[in-house]
Amino acid sequence: MNREIAQLGAKVLRQTAELVQDVHAPEIRRIIEDMQTTLANTQGVGIAAPQISESRRIVIVASRPTARYPDAPQMAPTVMINPSFQAKSENRQKGWEGCLSIPGIRALVPRYTEIGVQYTDEQGEVVELMLDGFIARVFQHEVDHLDGIVYLDRVEDNRDIIAESEYLKLIAD
């Protein structure tokens, strides 16, 4: 089912999401299906369960070129349950981010450029992999949602926040 996306100010976006105990529970299957449907109906490249008002530690990373992210690499939608990561170096880079929960705004956000990721997949298997670049950025953005953090909390200078319309002009050049 396509769900309404929680907007900045909704309490669920500022809560620490609950660990998923049973990936096969019908409620968890329903949340994942709703996240998949909701994300597919947006120009987003990721979604976290709190964004559909479900305080559970589930994210989907689905990098693909869109009008919002024309240069995004292709990655099949990947469901990640109880995700975590470790920075593989102290290298951080600022990059443009937006959020389905904060429409109309973009900001330069520093993120680790290389991370080691661990999560449980939909079959209950533990997966470990390395992510870098844009996909590492998306992953960190979505995991922040699970900890009650939105990308604007990570901005170092308020002058790094701009209107989406100005961002679209920047990437068109």
Side-chain angles (χ1 to χ4, degrees):
M1 176 173 70
N2 193 44
R3 303 267 291 267
E4 183 178 331
I5 294 177
Q7 298 297 293
L8 185 63
K11 287 183 180 178
V12 70
L13 294 177
R14 294 305 193 167
Q15 296 171 342
T16 300
E18 298 174 29
L19 282 171
V20 173
Q21 302 299 327
D22 177 5
V23 301
H24 304 293
E27 177 187 13
I28 298 306
R29 305 303 321 149
R30 179 187 51 79
I31 291 169
I32 291 169
E33 288 173 19
D34 289 356
M35 289 173 67
Q36 290 169 325
T37 302
T38 302
L39 180 59
N41 287 304
T42 72
Q43 292 288 309
V45 291
I47 195 166
Q51 290 183 277
I52 63 162
S53 300
E54 297 285 354
S55 187
R56 300 300 183 98
R57 296 190 78 79
I58 307 168
V59 303
I60 299 175
V61 175
S63 181
R64 66 195 191 279
T66 67
R68 294 177 74 225
Y69 299 101
D71 299 323
Q74 192 72 41
M75 175 184 174
T78 305
V79 175
M80 302 174 173
I81 301 166
N82 298 331
S84 63
F85 74 93
Q86 293 280 326
K88 290 301 174 184
S89 77
E90 289 302 310
N91 292 341
R92 295 187 324 152
Q93 187 173 49
K94 283 186 180 182
W96 289 107
E97 294 185 24
C99 184
L100 298 172
S101 294
I102 310 172
I105 302 289
R106 289 297 180 106
L108 282 172
V109 180
R111 299 279 186 193
Y112 292 107
T113 56
E114 297 176 293
I115 57 175
V117 168
Q118 184 178 57
Y119 63 91
T120 302
D121 69 14
E122 292 182 86
Q123 290 71 46
E125 300 296 319
V126 174
V127 177
E128 293 185 9
L129 54 96
M130 296 290 293
L131 297 177
D132 61 14
F134 183 79
I135 295 172
R137 174 173 298 283
V138 174
F139 179 88
Q140 291 169 82
H141 175 111
E142 300 308 335
V143 169
D144 272 354
H145 278 301
L146 305 182
D147 295 325
I149 297 167
V150 298
Y151 77 106
L152 294 175
D153 298 334
R154 301 243 184 237
V155 172
E156 294 176 335
D157 184 332
N158 285 343
R159 290 173 289 200
D160 287 341
I161 303 171
I162 65 173
E164 177 102 13
S165 57
E166 292 301 313
Y167 167 77
L168 293 174
K169 289 176 192 175
L170 276 177
I171 64 170
D173 292 341

